[in-house]
Amino acid sequence: MVYFALKITGNLTGVDNLQPRGGVDDPDHPYLFKLHCENCGEVSRRHSCVMLSEEVPLPSVYGKGSVNLVQKCKLCDRVGTVKMISGFGKPLNHSSGECGRYVRIMIFECHGLAPVEFSFGGVWKAQSRKKLLEIDLSMGEFNDFNERVHVTDLKAKFETMRTFGRYGDRYLYSPRIDGW
Ligand SMILES: [Zn+2]
């Protein structure tokens, strides 16, 4: 079991607090990424889509419970799982983006697979001086020249969390090592 933090950064002009439309733990926000098979090294050709509200049962060989994705590697047939862990993300604010600091928005608990190549799908939101804006980032950036709102230089990465783990019914980690 490996825990990956999805971290994003980008330049926010005229807006602050970029996050999925319903917040970082929006149950219906689609997170899109490819999967790297840890058995044979193959990277899936298509993006997979997971969201908090869509759960599937864990394959019985792995035990009981549910995850957000069960996927079989097309090359070696190994089955892997991805489970989203809510409650540890925060919006990207203007000052973090300005100095290129990455902010964690979601954690993924993965078995046999590693997430790679995140794609900004779904509807995002950010606060301008006047109003809350809905933002489409699927082209990699957002520009509203009338409102003077720009979201550019978007980047995302998955980082292995070194101290995150489950202890009984709680998740614990060291913010000093894995960041807030
Ligand atoms: Zn494989």
Side-chain angles (χ1 to χ4, degrees):
M1 209 67 81
V2 184
Y3 294 92
F4 294 92
L6 169 62
K7 295 181 163 184
I8 64 167
T9 191
N11 277 325
L12 307 180
T13 307
V15 279
D16 203 356
N17 291 327
L18 178 70
Q19 57 192 305
R21 178 166 55 183
V24 285
D25 292 332
D26 183 344
D28 300 316
H29 184 78
Y31 285 85
L32 309 172
F33 44 80
K34 294 184 177 180
L35 288 157
H36 173 260
C37 173
E38 299 204 316
N39 186 45
C40 74
E42 177 80 350
V43 174
S44 60
R45 217 172 295 162
R46 292 199 190 145
H47 284 80
S48 297
C49 174
V50 298
M51 57 180 82
L52 279 166
S53 62
E54 285 191 1
E55 295 189 356
V56 289
L58 196 62
S60 55
V61 289
Y62 293 136
K64 286 180 185 161
S66 62
V67 291
N68 298 100
L69 180 73
V70 175
Q71 189 162 309
K72 189 194 259 191
C73 173
K74 287 219 164 69
L75 200 63
C76 74
D77 278 353
R78 180 71 67 91
V79 174
T81 64
V82 178
K83 185 181 172 75
M84 301 171 75
I85 312 286
S86 61
F88 295 96
K90 62 178 187 178
L92 174 66
N93 64 26
H94 179 266
S95 58
S96 291
E98 199 173 45
C99 59
R101 193 184 307 133
Y102 282 79
V103 168
R104 181 178 63 234
I105 57 170
M106 182 55 70
I107 292 176
F108 299 89
E109 179 185 308
C110 298
H111 189 100
L113 299 165
V116 293
E117 297 182 43
F118 178 73
S119 175
F120 287 84
V123 183
W124 295 67
K125 71 174 178 184
Q127 181 70 48
S128 78
R129 253 167 254 116
K130 288 184 247 168
K131 60 184 176 188
L132 203 56
L133 288 176
E134 292 200 341
I135 290 178
D136 175 1
L137 298 175
S138 56
M139 301 303 286
E141 60 177 31
F142 175 83
N143 294 289
D144 184 330
F145 292 95
N146 294 326
E147 298 280 338
R148 295 184 183 173
V149 167
H150 304 279
V151 178
T152 55
D153 292 323
L154 272 175
K155 290 180 203 134
K157 64 178 177 183
F158 289 100
E159 238 175 50
T160 307
M161 294 191 76
R162 289 157 60 199
T163 66
F164 196 87
R166 194 184 187 114
Y167 300 89
D169 57 355
R170 289 204 303 156
Y171 290 104
L172 296 173
Y173 72 108
S174 166
R176 194 171 52 81
I177 293 171
D178 278 319
W180 293 100

